[in-house]
Amino acid sequence: MNPNCARCGKIVYPTEKVNCLDKFWHKACFHCETCKMTLNMKNYKGYEKKPYCNAHYPKQSFTMVADTPENLRLKQQSGLQSQVRYKEEFEKNKGKGFSVVADTPELQRIKKTQDQISNIKYHEEFEKSRMGPSGGEGMEPERRDSQDGSSYRRPLEQQQPHHIPTSAPVYQQPQQQPVAQSYGGYKEPAAPVSIQRSAPGGGGKRYRAVYDYSAADEDEVSFQDGDTIVNVQQIDDGWMYGTVERTGDTGMLPANYVEAI
């Protein structure tokens, strides 16, 4: 059954039928509502299921809403609700930590430069503390402790009575001096001699370890909680130099792992 035309109401046959805008039209009846120009499927524009040309297509305009007391009240209420929600989110997230900063190439370069500067300064302070310009300050701690130990026992040896028989010769074992190995201008301290293990020098300060520490470098020493550190010398705010009385090892140790006795 053939449908009726949406414009004239007459029967539309298949040879002259135009199916558009959910309706059926005669080709002659499918024209603009304003200027009556005949349209086709390529140049028409539909508005409220009616065909229009491009020139007479209705323009949509928005209406302005007046600031009535009711609208002002709704606007103020929406602002208060948004502020309350913001405060709730702030209270929930308060104290949960700092914001994460992305590791950009610039930040990574600055961090690497700071680490290199800190490492260079640490080695400079370490070199100055161990090899100073003057003879007394530049003396290595192991040799200084050895001299202190020998001077400490010399009066005791002088007080001993001379009751050694002449028939039995006395042989004194020579003390072995510590040998320092050098690596590219940097001198590695030698192992402590037996004098340091038996009687460490009393010139330095004494500290007690409050935590366990494992050496992270060759010039550091390991110790356990409760160990006594003798002959302690302050190098900077974070590091000290001393000898572990239990093991006899001498080297660098962190200052925040020990306390003064």
Side-chain angles (χ1 to χ4, degrees):
M1 181 178 178
N2 296 323
N4 297 330
C5 178
R7 179 80 63 188
C8 62
K10 296 181 181 179
I11 297 176
V12 180
Y13 294 99
T15 56
E16 56 181 359
K17 181 173 64 173
V18 176
N19 185 6
C20 185
L21 299 175
D22 297 334
K23 296 178 182 179
F24 296 97
W25 313 77
H26 291 105
K27 291 182 180 180
C29 295
F30 190 66
H31 55 73
C32 177
E33 293 287 335
T34 304
C35 63
K36 308 302 180 183
M37 182 182 71
T38 303
L39 303 173
N40 54 35
M41 298 296 294
K42 295 181 179 180
N43 61 359
Y44 87 95
K45 287 188 175 182
Y47 182 77
E48 294 183 355
K49 294 187 178 182
K50 294 180 181 179
Y52 290 90
C53 64
N54 190 22
H56 296 97
Y57 182 74
K59 305 293 183 183
Q60 295 182 357
S61 60
F62 300 95
T63 58
M64 298 181 62
V65 180
D67 289 336
T68 60
E70 182 65 18
N71 290 336
L72 292 175
R73 185 186 66 80
L74 293 175
K75 181 179 179 181
Q76 184 178 6
Q77 185 176 0
S78 300
L80 292 175
Q81 291 177 355
S82 177
Q83 188 175 4
V84 169
R85 184 176 181 182
Y86 168 75
K87 288 183 178 180
E88 290 178 356
E89 294 292 335
F90 176 76
E91 292 294 335
K92 289 180 181 179
N93 298 327
K94 184 170 64 175
K96 289 187 176 181
F98 302 96
S99 58
V100 179
V101 181
D103 287 337
T104 60
E106 182 67 18
L107 291 178
Q108 291 180 357
R109 184 186 64 80
I110 294 174
K111 183 178 179 182
K112 186 177 181 180
T113 304
Q114 291 177 351
D115 292 340
Q116 292 177 353
I117 294 174
S118 177
N119 192 16
I120 293 173
K121 186 176 180 181
Y122 163 74
H123 283 289
E124 287 180 354
E125 295 293 337
F126 180 71
E127 292 284 345
K128 290 180 181 179
S129 63
R130 300 185 60 186
M131 294 179 291
S134 61
E137 295 180 356
M139 186 182 298
E140 296 178 356
E142 292 84 2
R143 296 183 179 179
R144 185 181 303 174
D145 296 342
S146 176
Q147 293 179 1
D148 293 341
S150 60
S151 61
Y152 174 77
R153 283 200 297 267
R154 190 173 295 114
L156 297 179
E157 295 175 357
Q158 293 177 0
Q159 294 177 4
Q160 294 293 334
H162 300 281
H163 294 294
I164 301 175
T166 58
S167 60
V170 178
Y171 298 96
Q172 295 183 356
Q173 185 178 0
Q175 297 180 359
Q176 296 180 356
Q177 295 294 333
V179 180
Q181 298 179 358
S182 61
Y183 299 96
Y186 171 76
K187 293 184 177 181
E188 182 70 19
V193 296
S194 59
I195 297 177
Q196 294 175 338
R197 293 180 179 269
S198 59
K205 298 180 180 180
R206 296 172 61 88
Y207 283 76
R208 180 174 60 250
V210 295
Y211 304 102
D212 295 343
Y213 180 75
S214 298
D217 203 349
E218 295 180 356
D219 56 353
E220 299 179 4
V221 292
S222 302
F223 51 82
Q224 298 179 359
D225 184 10
D227 286 350
T228 302
I229 315 297
V230 298
N231 301 327
V232 178
Q233 299 177 7
Q234 187 75 30
I235 295 178
D236 53 21
D237 295 338
W239 290 91
M240 295 180 173
Y241 192 91
T243 303
V244 182
E245 191 175 33
R246 179 176 58 84
T247 61
D249 295 336
T250 302
M252 304 283 293
L253 60 141
N256 56 351
Y257 277 65
V258 296
E259 62 180 2
I261 300 177

